[in-house]
Amino acid sequence: MEQPVQKGKEPFNTMVFPVGPSCNLNCEYCNYLEKTSLYQDTGSFKMSYELLDEFTRQYIEAQPGPVISFCWQGGEPVLRGLDFFKKAVELQEKYLPSGWQLQNNLQTNATLLDEEWCRF
Ligand code: SF4
């Protein structure tokens, strides 16, 4: 049965940084790489699978639907690995109400995209 739009909720988008500001390039004009200094205590910028699961569930639950848009940003988000993004889509499909639609937007410098990525 199709899930109706949930009234009383406003649609919104967030950008997700699965590797924080990490990037495989070092563009002179980049104003984001310097953000690594904001995370000095963590040692790693990788988004965990546990956080991915929790974020995905809460993000979908907070939306009125029927279209949920995920935006992957960086740094270079592809550095997180293809398996991570396959899991992301798996979780999105798990939590998506029946009849709703998913969108995934990826901002990338494209230098790491190979055949497998493109097929995905
Ligand atoms: S590709 Fe983008 S994120 Fe990476 S260094 Fe260049 S401007 Fe910064």
Side-chain angles (χ1 to χ4, degrees):
M1 193 169 109
E2 217 169 86
Q3 179 96 3
V5 171
Q6 297 185 46
K7 291 189 168 64
K9 295 181 178 178
E10 295 293 330
F12 64 95
N13 290 313
T14 62
M15 292 188 292
V16 189
F17 301 79
V19 290
S22 301
C23 186
N24 61 321
L25 300 183
N26 188 17
C27 303
E28 278 183 27
Y29 56 81
C30 185
N31 63 358
Y32 199 62
L33 293 177
E34 66 192 35
K35 298 290 188 288
T36 55
S37 64
L38 298 174
Y39 303 91
Q40 288 174 339
D41 295 336
T42 64
S44 172
F45 307 110
K46 283 185 177 178
M47 185 179 195
S48 69
Y49 280 89
E50 291 76 19
L51 181 58
L52 174 66
D53 188 312
E54 186 65 19
F55 163 73
T56 304
R57 184 184 61 76
Q58 288 191 27
Y59 188 59
I60 291 174
E61 281 181 5
Q63 302 270 356
V67 179
I68 306 293
S69 182
F70 288 83
C71 183
W72 304 96
Q73 266 261 4
E76 176 48 55
V78 167
L79 285 173
R80 190 61 186 87
L82 185 53
D83 286 346
F84 178 87
F85 285 91
K86 287 180 177 176
K87 184 67 177 178
V89 172
E90 180 187 316
L91 290 168
Q92 292 168 10
E93 291 172 343
K94 172 183 172 184
Y95 292 120
L96 193 74
S98 175
W100 287 20
Q101 292 181 318
L102 288 168
Q103 293 178 341
N104 278 276
N105 308 287
L106 179 70
Q107 178 174 299
T108 175
N109 60 39
T111 58
L112 300 172
L113 297 182
D114 59 12
E115 182 74 20
E116 192 180 7
W117 261 106
C118 293
R119 289 190 183 282
F120 173 68

